[in-house]
Amino acid sequence: MNTFYVTTPIYYANSLPHLGHLYTMIVGDTLARSKRQRGVETYFLTGTDEHGINIERAAQQNGRTPQEQADYVVSYFKEMTSKFGLDTAHGGYDVFMRTTEPFHAEGVSELWRKIAKSKTPKGNDAIYKGHYEGWFCAPCAEYKTEDEYQKPKVEGDPPLCLIHERPLDRVSEESYFFRLSDYDKALLSVLESRPDFVRPESRRNEVTSFVRGGLQDLSVSRLKSSVSWGIPVPDDPSHTMYVWFDALTNYITAIGYGNKEREQAVGFEKFWPAMHLVGKDILRFHAVYWPAFLLAADIELPRAVVAHGMWVDPAGRKMSKTLGNVIELDVLHKPFPIDVIRYFVLREMVFGQDGRFGYEALIDRANSDLASGLGNLSSRTLTMIARYGDSRIPSGVIPEEKLLLAKRAGVDTDETIAGFVEHARNQFLEHLDNLAFSRALEAAWSVVARVDKMITDAKPWDLAKDENQRQTLGAVLYRAAESLRWLTVLLHPVLPESSQAMWKQLGLSGSPGQVNPSSLKWGELKEGAAIGDVQPVFPRIDKAKVMAEITGEKDVPAKPAEPSPPQEHATQADAVGITSFIEIDDFAKVDLRVGQVLSAERIPKADKLLLLKVDLAEEQPRQVLAGIAQYYEPEKLIGRKVVIVANLKPRKLRGLESQGMVVAASYGEEGRPVLATFTEDVPNGARLK
Ligand code: MSP
């Protein structure tokens, strides 16, 4: 049967998603839409990885149970996927998989049992009991790998934990092992016989040399006394399964492996094998461990493991919570339409290589390729059809006797333009299937450039003045409109919202998602049909304004040193309760104090700022600037108790020094601030802990 199953990694349920997570989902979503559009029955999986010590710890830090912690992050993920149009309701994923689902535990246990019963290619038991020995940090309650500890200065001394800077203990613990070392030959033969198994080629080479270098057996369980939040090892509940064994198996349990009901509802037989999309950071798990587990269980291997590069900031640094340069999704979502973000990430990252993300680059691309490019082509074409053709699609036929005139005016013959657009379509689809999104989009934009040039050369506004050139005028506009119809169909998987809008403006009914791009035929746009209302599809983005808005919310990675207004109130991510997790010591660094507003006044020429004098029971009141002028009358603040970040480095704004920051919640699209306050009496200067 003609089916397609595509997966993203399932994301850890201990922190909020950011651009990196969003990116893999956009790629999966684009592929899924493109396959569906071509009539292929498609299943698209994303989800969360909810077991293991890190989730347990995050839960503890937040005073939740691990399940509550997972539910909490999942609710944010779901809200975000809905906002970005990636959920089922918007035609996106088919399943949001969670590893805490009971049917998943059934399937994982089944896989474990099957592997535990099997022999390796060398005739050994695939799973055996042994001892895991490693460097353990007691405060972290975790074994540390080489990149997680600092080598000792004196040889023979234990290494130091990077977090606690204390010596690690050498600990040995009973563990089940998967005999990975017996699978090297089998894996190498897969890598050699299936050149497309790991993509792109550079990653395949990397995996091949890793396997050639010799494989170590893999510890696949932890004692329940060390890690309890997870799936118990079948028939030995004193052990918890290794979280990666549990997580990787989601790809098959989601579609029904090990659970009859689920198999009937989705279909393991129907959809497996999958194409796994992963970041290069987790390639080894997907291209070595996972295939080895499947080989041991005698299950067909994935269709392919495709690794993309990482998003780095404009300075080339990897995005990480510690560096503070991750792109938070609520900040990204606010000023930019979803399709603009989709277009940018797919166009900008050469698939497989790292890509730079900067807001300025995003705005520049959106303005050049979308507003001035595709968007402008659509509105100029339709506006001219409205003006010169009474809002009806003109005839594209040029009578024999007018052919020369039309040619002189720079109008392509039907065959030439049809040939050009068909070639671009074929290129587009080929690149898309090879995950070369950037090149696919270049192919589509070659049509934009060609039609733009034809319009510029033919000058329809001049042709309209000459009755003798009526057919030439009609032909130019018809060719432009028909090319736009093709483009909207092609671009539907990349730009689902705006392609729908363009489709409607062309006067077409239904959705471009229902048209198979492979069966498009030139000339099917009906002469005489009425076009819809013409509206700009990609309004120009005001760079200065949007950059100011963004820097007001978050430092922009492009220019970390650039002065940005203070964050008077928290972002929406904070409204959901989680940013990246911090230690209690990190929180203790923030000195939050109760203060009382003594005076409040507006600042001339700064319509957002109020100048507050706040009593923190110090020698002198503090002067604090707060960006709340549009929401609070200054008079009404006098006497009010507020929360002040008292140890924030003083900074100047509009020539006035701000000696702290007022804490406020923020909600709604415009980030409306609501000042934090107290319902009980509390003295000025009291510290919040
Ligand atoms: N839970 C595991 C995956 C288990 S899959 C069976 C995990 N989760 S994660 O939350 O850390 O997400 C990892 C994935 O997020 C990466 O592989 C990649 O798909 C995406 N990205 C995270 N940061 C990224 C960038 N900076 N750039 C691009 N993608 C990145 O690992």
Side-chain angles (χ1 to χ4, degrees):
M1 191 189 287
N2 192 11
T3 62
F4 180 71
Y5 177 28
V6 63
T7 68
T8 73
I10 49 169
Y11 304 103
Y12 287 129
N14 59 351
S15 61
L16 289 183
H18 55 74
L19 174 75
H21 307 117
L22 179 74
Y23 174 67
T24 323
M25 285 193 251
I26 291 177
V27 172
D29 184 83
T30 303
L31 284 179
R33 284 178 202 262
S34 165
K35 293 285 181 184
R36 285 189 200 118
Q37 191 185 22
R38 283 179 275 170
V40 179
E41 198 175 349
T42 298
Y43 201 72
F44 168 31
L45 171 148
T46 191
T48 36
D49 183 354
E50 305 186 6
H51 288 136
I53 189 84
N54 291 330
I55 315 290
E56 225 173 326
R57 197 166 301 140
Q60 245 168 25
Q61 280 163 2
N62 291 296
R64 303 191 182 108
T65 64
Q67 187 64 59
E68 283 167 355
Q69 168 67 30
D71 291 349
Y72 203 57
V73 173
V74 168
S75 69
Y76 185 87
F77 256 96
K78 290 206 168 159
E79 188 190 316
M80 186 277 294
T81 49
S82 163
K83 272 190 191 164
F84 281 86
L86 296 162
D87 61 348
T88 313
H90 291 88
Y93 59 69
D94 294 286
V95 63
F96 188 96
M97 183 59 189
R98 302 186 56 178
T99 53
T100 49
E101 298 267 12
F103 69 78
H104 172 68
E106 274 178 44
V108 177
S109 306
E110 161 115 5
L111 184 75
W112 180 290
R113 285 206 176 93
K114 192 145 186 220
I115 298 179
K117 270 192 243 143
S118 77
K119 297 281 182 206
T120 68
K122 293 183 186 155
N124 298 311
D125 287 339
I127 288 184
Y128 64 94
K129 212 181 214 180
H131 275 84
Y132 179 81
E133 207 183 307
W135 291 109
F136 191 77
C137 172
C140 290
E142 199 175 41
Y143 283 100
K144 299 286 171 181
T145 53
E146 224 169 291
D147 49 2
E148 291 167 332
Y149 61 64
Q150 191 187 324
K151 293 219 171 74
K153 291 207 174 73
V154 180
E155 212 183 316
D157 280 359
L160 301 179
C161 168
L162 287 180
I163 298 166
H164 295 93
E165 293 175 357
R166 68 180 285 288
L168 300 174
D169 303 314
R170 193 74 189 164
V171 170
S172 162
E173 191 184 279
E174 188 183 85
S175 168
Y176 284 96
F177 282 83
F178 173 73
R179 209 180 295 272
L180 185 65
S181 56
D182 275 8
Y183 288 87
D184 51 352
K185 286 216 176 69
L187 287 169
L188 284 173
S189 110
V190 173
L191 288 163
E192 272 152 30
S193 62
R194 290 177 54 184
D196 276 353
F197 182 61
V198 176
R199 290 187 235 165
E201 205 188 338
S202 54
R203 300 281 162 231
R204 172 175 164 241
N205 297 339
E206 200 178 290
V207 172
T208 309
S209 53
F210 175 74
V211 178
R212 279 214 185 103
L215 297 173
Q216 307 262 317
D217 290 350
L218 192 68
S219 161
V220 284
S221 80
R222 292 287 309 275
L223 280 177
K224 190 174 168 130
S225 50
S226 312
V227 180
S228 63
W229 180 239
I231 300 177
V233 166
D235 311 316
D236 189 353
S238 65
H239 281 262
T240 305
M241 278 184 211
Y242 175 41
V243 65
W244 272 99
F245 186 92
D246 166 353
L248 287 161
T249 310
N250 96 89
Y251 299 133
I252 55 175
T253 59
I255 52 173
Y257 179 84
N259 181 289
K260 281 215 175 65
E261 254 172 62
R262 191 97 197 141
E263 159 65 25
Q264 268 162 16
V266 188
F268 173 76
E269 291 301 327
K270 181 168 166 187
F271 287 110
W272 189 254
M275 171 184 279
H276 298 311
L277 304 173
V278 299
K280 66 178 184 188
D281 53 333
I282 53 172
L283 178 61
R284 189 177 298 172
F285 297 92
H286 286 81
V288 180
Y289 304 165
W290 179 228
F293 297 157
L294 292 169
L295 283 171
D298 198 20
I299 296 174
E300 195 180 338
L301 297 190
R303 178 194 286 248
V305 178
V306 185
H308 62 73
M310 294 285 117
W311 282 102
V312 297
D313 71 14
R317 298 172 310 175
K318 193 178 169 225
M319 285 184 185
S320 85
K321 296 236 159 100
T322 338
L323 280 176
N325 60 353
V326 291
I327 303 294
E328 285 178 11
L329 297 185
D330 52 348
V331 178
L332 182 64
H333 179 258
K334 224 166 161 180
F336 303 112
I338 302 165
D339 282 358
V340 166
I341 299 166
R342 291 174 72 102
Y343 175 78
F344 179 77
V345 294
L346 293 173
R347 177 72 183 77
E348 199 70 10
M349 191 184 257
V350 174
F351 203 80
Q353 294 173 20
D354 288 351
R356 279 173 200 247
F357 184 94
Y359 286 111
E360 298 198 34
L362 168 67
I363 299 172
D364 290 343
R365 256 224 189 276
N367 283 342
S368 66
D369 298 8
L370 296 174
S372 308
L374 179 64
N376 184 49
L377 175 63
S378 169
S379 36
R380 78 198 289 214
T381 302
L382 295 175
T383 312
M384 288 191 285
I385 292 180
R387 188 174 304 150
Y388 308 129
D390 202 17
S391 294
R392 304 222 161 244
I393 302 289
S395 161
V397 180
I398 311 171
E400 276 295 319
E401 69 276 14
K402 297 278 166 72
L403 267 178
L404 199 62
L405 265 181
K407 203 168 171 204
R408 273 202 208 121
V411 182
D412 285 329
T413 63
D414 227 18
E415 294 72 42
T416 316
I417 183 90
F420 186 88
V421 176
E422 267 164 29
H423 178 72
R425 181 262 316 268
N426 298 344
Q427 293 268 298
F428 179 88
L429 293 178
E430 196 184 317
H431 289 315
L432 203 74
D433 286 339
N434 288 329
L435 301 118
F437 301 105
S438 192
R439 300 190 66 186
L441 291 168
E442 275 171 25
W445 258 256
S446 72
V447 176
V448 176
R450 172 83 178 219
V451 179
D452 256 340
K453 184 172 181 314
M454 183 172 67
I455 294 177
T456 312
D457 290 350
K459 301 187 188 65
W461 43 94
D462 285 346
L463 297 176
K465 293 179 200 149
D466 182 354
E467 193 44 43
N468 211 17
Q469 293 277 33
R470 262 213 95 64
Q471 283 98 339
T472 313
L473 172 66
V476 179
L477 297 181
Y478 184 89
R479 283 155 178 64
E482 175 64 341
S483 304
L484 279 166
R485 184 178 74 96
W486 280 56
L487 281 171
T488 49
V489 171
L490 289 188
L491 293 172
H492 156 79
V494 178
L495 310 170
E497 275 189 355
S498 21
S499 64
Q500 181 66 50
M502 286 168 59
W503 189 253
K504 210 168 151 213
Q505 294 192 27
L506 279 164
L508 298 162
S509 58
S511 152
Q514 293 159 333
V515 181
N516 186 339
S518 311
S519 57
L520 277 169
K521 296 221 165 40
W522 181 263
E524 286 189 342
L525 184 65
K526 286 208 179 60
E527 175 193 337
I531 59 164
D533 283 344
V534 187
Q535 268 150 19
V537 194
F538 299 104
R540 253 198 115 62
I541 300 173
D542 181 336
K543 190 168 174 183
K545 186 163 159 260
V546 169
M547 287 309 290
E549 264 170 44
I550 295 169
T551 43
E553 294 244 5
K554 275 271 149 220
D555 278 341
V556 180
K559 293 175 183 161
E562 200 175 79
S564 59
Q567 273 182 265
E568 280 92 3
H569 45 83
T571 65
Q572 276 191 4
D574 302 323
V576 199
I578 331 147
T579 51
S580 54
F581 292 99
I582 58 168
E583 299 291 338
I584 187 80
D585 295 347
D586 296 321
F587 175 68
K589 286 185 201 149
V590 185
D591 191 0
L592 293 169
R593 300 276 172 172
V594 176
Q596 187 165 26
V597 180
L598 300 177
S599 67
E601 53 188 90
R602 294 190 186 278
I603 301 171
K605 293 197 193 130
D607 55 0
K608 289 187 179 153
L609 290 177
L610 288 185
L611 178 71
L612 309 178
K613 291 271 162 58
V614 185
D615 182 4
L616 294 185
E618 297 168 315
E619 257 177 45
Q620 285 190 357
R622 296 266 189 131
Q623 171 170 295
V624 178
L625 294 164
I628 54 173
Q630 287 160 314
Y631 304 93
Y632 285 93
E633 290 299 323
E635 311 66 67
K636 293 201 177 135
L637 290 174
I638 295 166
R640 185 161 172 168
K641 297 272 179 176
V642 289
V643 177
I644 299 287
V645 183
N647 60 342
L648 197 67
K649 197 169 164 193
R651 63 192 308 172
K652 274 207 169 159
L653 276 167
R654 308 264 169 180
L656 295 163
E657 187 175 80
S658 185
Q659 302 156 336
M661 183 176 104
V662 187
V663 177
S666 163
Y667 74 92
E669 280 298 296
E670 83 279 29
R672 187 186 180 91
V674 178
L675 290 178
T677 190
F678 299 90
T679 50
E680 290 165 60
D681 204 11
V682 53
N684 296 345
R687 181 150 191 203
L688 277 80
K689 294 185 186 174

